[in-house]
Amino acid sequence: MNSLSDLRSVLRRIPVLALALMPDLANAQTILWQTSAVPDRVWSREHAAATLHREADAVRITHRGEKDWALRPEIAIPPMNGIAEVAVPIRGDGRGEITVAFARKTEDDRVLEWTHRARTLRPPTTTIVLRTRARLPVAGERLHARVLGTGPGEFVVGPITATVVAPPPMASGQPLTISNRVIAARLDPRDATLALTDLRTARSWLPARPSSPWQALRVRAARDRLEWTLSDEFGEASWDARLTLEPDLAEAVLLLTPRHGTNAPMREPLAYPPPLAADPPESAELILPLNEGIGFPVGDAAVPTMRLIAYGGHGICMAFAGLVAGDTAFMMLIETPDDAAIRLDRREGRLVLAPEWDPQRETAGYARRLRFVLFDRGGYVAMCRRYREHARVEGRLVTFREKLARNPDVERLAGAANVWFMDRGGGLDLAREMAAAGMDRVLWSAGRTSNEVAALRQMGWLISRYDIYQDLMNPAEFHRLHHVPRDWPNDAWPTGVIRRADGDWVRGWQVRTKDGSMIPCAVLCDRLAPDRARQRIREELAARPYNTRFIDTTTATPWRECYDPAHPMSRTESRMYKMELLKVVSHEFNLICGSETGHDAAVPFVHYFEGMLSLGPFRVPDAGRDMERKWDEVPERVARFQTGHRYRLPLWELVYHDCVVAQWYWGDYNNKLPALWRRRDLWNALYGTPPMYMFNRAEWARDRERFVESYRIATPVHRRTMFHPMISHRRLTPDGSVQQSEFGDGTVVTVNFGETPYRLPGGRELAPETAIWTAQAP
């Protein structure tokens, strides 16, 4: 579009409700097109759930449903070169939320994306303006501004203002390169992309295409440093960037500093730097510490895209991710993980990884640090060794030998199967029967009476009790429940719950009511949990001599922000209070401490994680609620990713095997799916981790011999190696069906997950679904 007459010609062909033209097109911020509209219809997914009434230049929507609604008509944006902004005044009352977004459509009205650049919030009772922006799309696409919502409430919306401004000037200049003795780094100012080259191998890691929406302004270069101002696609420069090469190391550190101060408003994640890809683009594998660990071939169409936070167990459990090509590797080590995430996405049909930096309490907060590490050999094992050294420097690498000096019961974890016995009575007799059958080391998680706890301790077992310091509920809802858990700190309602920025309370775990519906719990502010644990545990230990305690959710759920002025909290502070809670258990009361799923921030304070072996996105459906159900059918995702040999990697063991015991999840244990039971035992043997079982008396009686066989397969390696690091892991076959791990004491474990025998060096044959372990490599 080259002239004002061209612009008018386009606009005459586009239906708009009101139009204003500004003739000055030279200024980058000049309005090119604007329309203000009051829609006249509302659509709802639930029949007759929404009504609309006009109020001057706004509309009032009353929505009684739980699903979504949308205002009609949408506003078509002219196909010009520029930036579109939509601004919508809103206020409301109720549980529902409102979203302002763009719909991306083709010229023939086929929808490509319904909620492009979406901004969502629960409207306050006073009017605010909700805004979103987007670059106008490529040829053949159109943008339509739209307002939609979900949930019940009464909302006043409008008028909707859609504006297009001229695009900011583009950065220019040639790429700049710096280098040290082993690596080179290049910055392209035009899209602010980085490229890294390992001078030892000539392997390059280049920007994944298409190019990023960023540009680099005011670029300055020194021998070992590049500095620039990062400008986004809208021409806003909010961050200063500096890339520094470490002297004589294959490492570079990227520092992102808020340009307008730590209190500068920040509403959305900062997605920078853009992802890198291997060059040449041979078969490569993305490496993610998703729970225990996983590797995704970059061309695998079966892998789902996802966003994995670095500040909670249902994300990445260690603050790194990377890419392996051949024996070489590229690693991103997140040095400021409390408000960070990794996004797994696709570019041109190939999987890519990129970091994202979340706001801290809606501000920029602090400088963010990302370390790039290049490896000329060693692949993911070399990554884990580098991260282990990072953990040592950070003070997180606290080993079992150090923990044993504080608590002699640590030794009892070695080879101890985690047992959840689900019947109310008869536990002691069954425990004695298990011990007589050879299952002599057990972490008994199901709790019991004082006499049973004392007797089980005399057997040399670890005796645990489930505990939680997260969920609570408004007592006014109790009449709807089947029962009220005794551990809910309901006296903290409503003053002690975590609150969002808009003042509403955060919804947590949902509970089924007597009528079959689900209602959410609130979440206790992490600041308040340690003192509550001190009181509860002190009182209980006086009556029941537990030597172990399992704290549910603490390392599974994210570090949370709280906006209650009586107990405000950043994610960093949330992490600190969560760790204090675990420290109360393991240090103040000197108990063996476990928590759910797992995160390496807790390594100094815990002894085991329930769930680290179970890759969260690939468990059986509803594993956290329907724990006791045994699955005869095997869901495809479970067989492929959870227990399949192509994807799993022991990243956690390669870093923390001699620090924290990794276990299966209590809804995803060894005997959960009988068809996969043996495979789980083999994974335990290969990783040097103990099994987990959940059963009642009838199941024990039926499968007694199978439990004993499982115990004999799964526990010996852990019993032997718990105090030693895992020093190596490798796939002995291209498809990963035969794998081998090695531990610091010389123990070598080889497992054949395949369907055909495998011949080991020396001629010994390893049968299908079989493990062997030796003191030396076979």
Side-chain angles (χ1 to χ4, degrees):
M1 186 160 309
N2 299 317
S3 67
L4 185 60
S5 61
D6 291 336
L7 175 61
R8 288 193 175 109
S9 175
V10 169
L11 293 176
R12 278 196 293 270
R13 297 195 298 269
I14 299 175
V16 296
L17 301 177
L19 179 65
L21 280 174
M22 303 293 291
D24 179 10
L25 303 183
N27 188 324
Q29 299 304 312
T30 297
I31 296 176
L32 301 182
W33 176 89
Q34 177 173 304
T35 181
S36 296
V38 181
D40 56 9
R41 302 189 305 278
V42 61
W43 166 90
S44 176
R45 191 171 300 277
E46 297 161 277
H47 178 67
T51 57
L52 179 147
H53 300 282
R54 288 195 171 275
E55 292 188 357
D57 59 352
V59 292
R60 180 180 296 273
I61 302 108
T62 302
H63 188 246
R64 295 171 294 279
E66 294 289 341
K67 298 182 180 179
D68 52 318
W69 56 267
L71 288 177
R72 299 290 177 85
E74 300 166 352
I75 300 174
I77 310 294
M80 63 180 73
N81 180 28
I83 295 170
E85 178 176 281
V86 177
V88 185
I90 60 171
R91 68 178 188 271
D93 185 29
R95 292 192 289 107
E97 296 180 326
I98 287 183
T99 296
V100 176
F102 295 95
R104 290 176 51 232
K105 300 183 181 182
T106 61
E107 291 179 330
D108 60 359
D109 213 37
R110 180 170 57 88
V111 176
L112 300 174
E113 184 181 2
W114 276 116
T115 53
H116 180 58
R117 305 289 298 188
R119 291 292 306 277
T120 300
L121 57 73
R122 181 173 299 169
T125 54
T126 56
T127 299
I128 65 167
V129 178
L130 186 59
R131 302 175 187 272
T132 189
R133 292 182 297 176
R135 264 194 178 275
L136 288 169
V138 298
E141 292 186 18
R142 297 289 183 268
L143 287 185
H144 296 253
R146 59 194 306 254
V147 178
L148 58 153
T150 58
E154 189 169 80
F155 315 103
V156 178
V157 179
I160 304 169
T161 301
T163 303
V164 176
V165 300
M170 298 297 294
S172 60
Q174 294 301 308
L176 297 175
T177 300
I178 58 174
S179 64
N180 63 15
R181 188 173 56 86
V182 285
I183 63 169
R186 186 186 70 196
L187 170 70
D188 190 333
R190 294 166 295 183
D191 55 9
T193 53
L194 293 168
L196 299 169
T197 298
D198 191 327
L199 301 178
R200 300 164 298 184
T201 62
R203 165 78 69 186
S204 291
W205 306 91
L206 301 181
R209 299 299 175 185
S211 61
S212 80
W214 301 101
Q215 50 187 328
L217 308 177
R218 296 180 283 278
V219 180
R220 300 171 297 281
R223 182 177 59 85
D224 63 347
R225 180 177 300 180
L226 287 166
E227 296 180 347
W228 65 97
T229 296
L230 190 62
S231 176
D232 67 14
E233 59 187 317
F234 308 117
E236 293 185 353
S238 301
W239 297 82
D240 288 327
R242 183 178 72 209
L243 183 74
T244 304
L245 301 184
E246 298 281 28
D248 297 325
L249 294 177
E251 301 189 7
V253 177
L254 177 66
L255 182 68
L256 299 169
T257 303
R259 184 170 179 78
H260 304 299
T262 58
N263 292 323
M266 182 178 174
R267 301 289 184 255
E268 297 178 348
L270 170 66
Y272 189 82
L276 295 178
D279 182 59
E282 62 190 68
S283 176
E285 186 177 20
L286 296 183
I287 306 301
L288 281 169
L290 170 65
N291 305 125
E292 176 67 52
I294 200 161
F296 291 130
V298 295
D300 194 331
V303 178
T305 59
M306 60 187 84
R307 186 178 192 265
L308 299 167
I309 59 173
Y311 47 85
H314 290 300
I316 53 173
C317 298
M318 299 180 283
F320 75 91
L323 187 62
V324 169
D327 202 34
T328 66
F330 157 73
M331 175 186 188
M332 295 182 295
L333 199 165
I334 304 171
E335 295 189 345
T336 50
D338 285 348
D339 299 282
I342 290 288
R343 182 172 293 279
L344 176 63
D345 211 340
R346 276 190 173 81
R347 297 279 184 91
E348 296 182 336
R350 299 174 72 84
L351 291 166
V352 296
L353 288 173
E356 292 187 349
W357 310 99
D358 288 339
Q360 184 187 59
R361 289 176 56 83
E362 300 189 323
T363 68
Y366 55 96
R368 315 301 173 95
R369 285 174 59 94
L370 182 70
R371 181 177 294 270
F372 301 107
V373 187
L374 274 57
F375 302 92
D376 58 349
R377 60 185 179 275
Y380 58 83
V381 175
M383 284 189 202
C384 292
R385 288 174 180 164
R386 177 63 183 89
Y387 189 79
R388 182 175 168 94
E389 179 56 31
H390 170 74
R392 188 189 307 278
V393 172
E394 292 286 302
R396 294 186 177 185
L397 194 78
V398 180
T399 68
F400 280 127
R401 295 193 186 279
E402 297 171 88
K403 294 174 182 179
L404 181 66
R406 172 182 293 277
N407 184 348
D409 282 341
V410 166
E411 194 276 334
R412 301 186 186 193
L413 272 172
N418 190 335
V419 173
W420 285 91
F421 177 60
M422 303 308 289
D423 284 356
R424 290 185 177 273
L428 183 56
D429 289 345
L430 185 138
R432 289 170 174 158
E433 186 178 338
M434 291 172 60
M439 300 175 70
D440 58 337
R441 287 208 178 186
V442 168
L443 165 57
W444 185 269
S445 289
R448 278 301 179 259
T449 65
S450 299
N451 291 338
E452 287 177 310
V453 170
L456 290 167
R457 283 194 61 167
Q458 278 199 325
M459 292 171 57
W461 287 11
L462 294 171
I463 314 303
S464 182
R465 182 262 217 232
Y466 174 95
D467 202 356
I468 187 171
Y469 296 89
Q470 174 175 291
D471 301 329
L472 69 148
M473 189 172 285
N474 182 352
E477 301 281 10
F478 287 176
H479 70 282
R480 302 175 59 187
L481 306 181
H482 294 284
H483 75 283
V484 178
R486 60 184 177 130
D487 290 334
W488 282 0
N490 295 308
D491 60 308
W493 174 271
T495 58
V497 303
I498 292 181
R499 294 195 176 271
R500 309 187 316 180
D502 62 6
D504 198 8
W505 54 277
V506 169
R507 272 66 175 168
W509 182 253
Q510 292 206 352
V511 179
R512 192 172 303 280
T513 64
K514 295 174 183 176
D515 63 8
S517 62
M518 305 292 287
I519 58 175
C521 292
V523 177
L524 180 72
C525 184
D526 293 315
R527 280 180 177 266
L528 309 180
D531 283 341
R532 289 175 174 272
R534 288 183 178 99
Q535 179 179 351
R536 179 185 296 174
I537 296 172
R538 184 181 299 111
E539 292 174 353
E540 186 169 51
L541 288 182
R544 298 187 183 186
Y546 289 109
N547 53 17
T548 305
R549 204 169 189 93
F550 174 71
I551 308 299
D552 200 14
T553 76
T554 296
T555 54
T557 56
W559 322 155
R560 285 188 168 97
E561 295 180 335
C562 183
Y563 290 84
D564 191 310
H567 41 83
M569 187 172 64
S570 66
R571 289 192 187 95
T572 297
E573 292 168 322
S574 171
R575 170 179 56 80
M576 293 168 59
Y577 289 116
K578 284 174 177 281
M579 297 310 107
E580 182 183 349
L581 168 61
L582 298 173
K583 190 176 180 180
V584 166
V585 178
S586 62
H587 287 51
E588 295 184 25
F589 290 100
N590 210 30
L591 301 174
I592 298 297
C593 179
S595 193
E596 183 194 355
T597 302
H599 191 283
D600 80 332
V603 168
F605 314 110
V606 302
H607 303 90
Y608 68 96
F609 284 132
E610 285 195 10
M612 188 62 76
L613 287 181
S614 297
L615 311 181
F618 310 119
R619 300 172 184 167
V620 295
D622 218 9
R625 300 179 191 277
D626 198 7
M627 294 97 65
E628 293 187 66
R629 175 188 169 188
K630 306 304 186 287
W631 286 65
D632 292 323
E633 70 279 16
V634 178
E636 192 273 339
R637 283 162 61 96
V638 177
R640 177 191 289 264
F641 296 109
Q642 185 77 278
T643 61
H645 50 258
R646 178 60 189 90
Y647 298 93
R648 292 192 66 112
L649 292 173
L651 305 181
W652 180 264
E653 305 312 316
L654 285 163
V655 180
Y656 289 120
H657 180 267
D658 58 338
C659 300
V660 177
V661 178
Q663 300 172 351
W664 300 98
Y665 182 61
W666 73 340
D668 185 52
Y669 37 87
N670 289 58
N671 59 311
K672 178 76 172 182
L673 297 96
L676 299 178
W677 190 340
R678 186 174 183 86
R679 292 186 69 84
R680 290 189 191 270
D681 296 341
L682 294 174
W683 287 115
N684 284 128
L686 181 69
Y687 289 1
T689 56
M692 174 186 283
Y693 309 115
M694 181 175 285
F695 54 80
N696 55 35
R697 177 168 288 280
E699 289 170 328
W700 166 260
R702 183 191 65 207
D703 295 326
R704 179 182 180 280
E705 296 307 315
R706 183 66 187 88
F707 282 112
V708 173
E709 178 190 12
S710 171
Y711 185 88
R712 289 171 179 168
I713 294 171
T715 62
V717 176
H718 184 251
R719 193 163 186 160
R720 178 184 177 95
T721 68
M722 189 183 86
F723 289 95
H724 302 279
M726 178 188 282
I727 61 174
S728 183
H729 172 267
R730 58 188 180 132
R731 298 159 172 152
L732 300 182
T733 56
D735 65 353
S737 60
V738 182
Q739 299 186 22
Q740 188 175 84
S741 55
E742 182 177 358
F743 299 86
D745 67 337
T747 299
V748 175
V749 185
T750 309
V751 175
N752 184 356
F753 293 102
E755 298 177 353
T756 59
Y758 179 80
R759 191 165 300 280
L760 298 162
R764 182 174 178 180
E765 189 175 85
L766 184 61
E769 297 220 324
T770 301
I772 62 169
W773 61 271
T774 62
Q776 296 179 348

